[in-house]
Amino acid sequence: MRAPLLLLGLAVWVYAQDACGDNRIWYVVPQGGCAGGAGCGSKTNPATLDYALSQACGQASAPGFNPGNDPNVFIVLRLASGDYVRNTTLDICSNHIVIEGGYDRTTWRKSNGATTRIRRTNANPEGANLNAPEVPRLVGIRAVGRTNFRLQDLVVEVQGYDPNSVHPNSRHGISVYGIYLNNCSNYRIVRCDVTAGAGSRGADGTRGNDGGGGTPGSGGGNGGANWPALGCLGEVREQAVEGVGAALVEVGDRGCIRGHASWSSWR
């Protein structure tokens, strides 16, 4: 139901809260929430996040919910403080959705000391397949093709991966997103603290093909002048060569004579 409120001479409408959240306000807790039944989603019987979001999206997408497409008409999820640990992506599954944290679970009043934290583990990344052509990703909150929605007073943390390791189910590196939006419009992200962990390393590429054969080498140059071989003299350590200057003859350790000269006889 709705009741008129006179404010500064201007008549406006506000929505009262009944036991079921007036079908526009859903109360959500991180643990121990209901997932159906009478009064589920009310202040006294708050719901789980998944259940409340699925119900809210069903309402917001129902025919006739907002025929004038008023951007100020929403289905609201009020999240109590605490950690909402998730192994899957939180999808904004319809237009006209508000997810707002920072509420005290007892009083359902906003409090600066009430932190609502959505913690996404690194389980179940999208597209993690050894043969998948696309680069896989891990996402905290996602909206695709949505309009007129709001995220407010949330802490979003996505775990991420070891940047030096390859994910066992993907040859590609896994990208990590805190909030992923694609083709969205008229949205607001208000007082949100978003942290995304590191992406994983991609696998090494395959070995390249062997290179082709080289071109033939060029021809060698002309040879030098011929010189006689001087041979070795066994264990004889000192010999004289007649007619050969000392600068041109060398007697080696085992009597090998090396040089570039000729002689007429041994003595």
Side-chain angles (χ1 to χ4, degrees):
M1 60 178 292
R2 54 183 191 172
L5 174 68
L6 187 65
L7 178 63
L8 297 179
L10 178 65
V12 297
W13 293 95
V14 295
Y15 286 85
Q17 299 170 7
D18 62 15
C20 292
D22 190 45
N23 293 326
R24 294 191 182 234
I25 301 174
W26 292 84
Y27 295 89
V28 181
V29 290
Q31 295 93 24
C34 61
C40 184
S42 66
K43 286 183 178 180
T44 57
N45 189 21
T48 65
L49 178 55
D50 285 336
Y51 178 76
L53 184 59
S54 67
Q55 297 300 303
C57 289
Q59 292 173 279
S61 59
F65 162 72
N66 187 16
N69 198 29
D70 185 345
N72 297 313
V73 176
F74 299 99
I75 303 293
V76 180
L77 278 68
R78 292 182 174 175
L79 274 59
S81 61
D83 289 356
Y84 295 76
V85 180
R86 301 185 58 82
N87 294 322
T88 57
T89 298
L90 179 64
D91 274 303
I92 308 300
C93 45
S94 179
N95 303 330
H96 303 284
I97 296 293
V98 172
I99 301 177
E100 182 176 358
Y103 285 91
D104 182 275
R105 178 171 181 169
T106 303
T107 64
W108 289 106
R109 295 173 182 251
K110 294 278 285 190
S111 171
N112 289 333
T115 300
T116 300
R117 181 179 291 103
I118 296 176
R119 296 179 55 199
R120 173 70 163 97
T121 71
N122 61 11
N124 305 312
E126 303 169 23
N129 185 297
L130 292 175
N131 298 316
E134 72 276 5
V135 176
R137 60 183 174 230
L138 182 75
V139 180
I141 299 177
R142 173 178 54 201
V144 178
R146 301 301 177 195
T147 186
N148 295 327
F149 64 90
R150 184 171 79 241
L151 304 173
Q152 183 168 332
D153 294 327
L154 301 171
V155 175
V156 180
E157 297 176 354
V158 185
Q159 183 177 359
Y161 300 95
D162 181 354
N164 297 315
S165 298
V166 178
H167 192 278
N169 295 330
S170 176
R171 68 176 184 271
H172 306 289
I174 299 180
S175 300
V176 179
Y177 298 83
I179 299 175
Y180 176 88
L181 305 180
N182 185 357
N183 194 29
C184 296
S185 62
N186 299 325
Y187 58 85
R188 298 182 66 191
I189 300 175
V190 182
R191 294 193 300 268
C192 291
D193 184 350
V194 182
T195 303
S200 70
R201 183 176 72 85
D204 294 336
T206 58
R207 180 181 179 275
N209 296 327
D210 293 337
T215 58
S218 59
N222 296 327
N226 294 327
W227 295 95
L230 301 183
C232 292
L233 300 181
E235 295 299 327
V236 180
R237 293 190 173 274
E238 292 186 3
Q239 294 291 343
V241 178
E242 181 178 345
V244 179
L248 297 178
V249 178
E250 177 184 1
V251 179
D253 291 340
R254 296 184 58 82
C256 294
I257 302 176
R258 296 182 294 271
H260 301 289
S262 62
W263 58 90
S264 57
S265 64
W266 290 97
R267 180 169 47 182

